[in-house]
Amino acid sequence: MNGSEKDIWVLMEVDRQRELRPVGLELLGAGSRLAGELGSQLVAVVIGCGAQRAAEKARVFSDLVLWVDGEGYREYTTDAYVHALDTLVRQYRPGTLLIGATCHGRDMAPRLACRLRTGLTADCTSLEMDKESGSVAWTRPALGGNLMATILCPNHRPQIGTVRPGVFKKVIPPRRMGVVARKEVPPAPETGRTQIIQLIRETGQTGTDLEGAQIIVAGGRGAGPEGLRLLQRLAGLLGGVVGASRAAVDAGWLPHSCQIGQSGKTVAPRLYIACGISGAIQHTAGIRDSETVIAINSDPHAPIFDLADYRVIGDLFEVLPVLIRELEGTGG
């Protein structure tokens, strides 16, 4: 169970039901490819009190699972989780650490990189091995998404990167049936600086995460707050969820958890319906892997039409009610 400075680590996020979040399985596929090129181990890291089932699932696709158990890890806190990762990294000294660019991942990664005095490449969309340096070539959008930058971290280890959920398909890596090593990492004194008083679950639409949704109906500035009811109704009829552009979130019409794009979530649904979204590059960067895009906009020159498979030029307040009536069987 000894570590190696070439090992590829993947942080496996666990939800409140102690199940693995999809982003971890996506990163296991990418990590397996990198580990194969390096001839190194693929290590899954699971942090969570009572998360044995998640650890057992992760071991099927990794050579080693490091599972941090203990009461201090029942709920996510920044100090506790960063301390646990810092402790493991210093003990095993991996070469690369992949973390999902989720709320928790974006919170942990910069703090961990600072403690370890190493580099961090955020919001990556592609991972390759740079054969000349032996480092990971991390590719991410730069300058507002107008170009893609490839970044190397040749002088410090571990090299750390956060990867957006949905960027990699959930390709199941080869079965490895690794060992689960249960680790007890006593909380550090600073982990008591914050306490969870009450957990409030966000409601308002189905519990499906945007990253895993197969059908998304998204609204932008053109939808306005009055269009939200139409979006929710259409999404309900299609069995989908509601998303939003940054403009709609900044206006307070929908929460940040619904935001899609460069500063939000990357999605890859079978069907994406963009309603009143102009199609700025910051938004389209998050939907490029969608199988089918339908855009509804009154502006015939809206940039979203360049990406759309089907273009509907018209007022969404006239188009959506017709579509809803057809789906309900009351059209005509």
Side-chain angles (χ1 to χ4, degrees), residues 104-189:
H104 291 172
R106 287 170 168 165
D107 181 51
M108 285 185 281
R111 290 167 171 80
L112 180 65
C114 185
R115 288 194 185 190
L116 297 171
R117 298 186 180 277
T118 188
L120 167 65
T121 308
D123 284 347
C124 297
T125 57
S126 176
L127 306 175
E128 301 293 339
M129 287 303 306
D130 181 69
K131 294 181 172 56
E132 184 175 337
S133 65
S135 300
V136 174
W138 312 85
T139 300
R140 69 178 306 277
L143 296 178
N146 291 309
L147 59 83
M148 303 300 286
T150 299
I151 299 170
L152 302 179
C153 181
N155 300 321
H156 299 277
R157 293 293 184 269
Q159 46 197 333
I160 304 175
T162 58
V163 181
R164 289 188 172 200
V167 165
F168 294 108
K169 300 296 183 183
K170 204 186 304 182
V171 178
I172 301 300
R175 288 179 173 265
R176 297 171 183 254
M177 299 304 292
V179 175
V180 176
R182 182 175 177 271
K183 312 294 291 186
E184 292 190 12
V185 181

Side-chain angles (χ1 to χ4, degrees), residues 56-70:
E56 289 292 335
K57 184 174 182 179
R59 85 181 183 96
V60 176
F61 309 112
S62 56
D63 300 300
L64 171 64
V65 178
L66 299 176
W67 168 35
V68 180
D69 193 16

Side-chain angles (χ1 to χ4, degrees), residues 250-310:
D250 287 347
W253 304 331
L254 286 166
H256 184 266
S257 60
C258 293
Q259 184 173 324
I260 297 168
Q262 189 171 347
S263 54
K265 297 179 179 180
T266 299
V267 298
R270 289 188 293 109
L271 176 62
Y272 186 85
I273 304 178
C275 306
I277 296 175
S278 64
I281 193 168
Q282 289 84 355
H283 182 78
T284 56
I287 66 171
R288 291 192 179 277
D289 290 331
S290 302
E291 288 186 22
T292 302
V293 175
I294 299 175
I296 304 171
N297 202 296
S298 59
D299 179 5
H301 304 293
I304 191 69
F305 287 141
D306 295 333
L307 181 66
D309 299 286
Y310 298 93

Side-chain angles (χ1 to χ4, degrees), residues 18 47-52 67-75 81:
R18 299 300 183 258
I47 303 175
C49 179
Q52 182 175 359
W67 168 35
V68 180
D69 193 16
E71 193 61 36
Y73 305 101
R74 183 168 295 280
E75 298 291 345
Y81 274 56

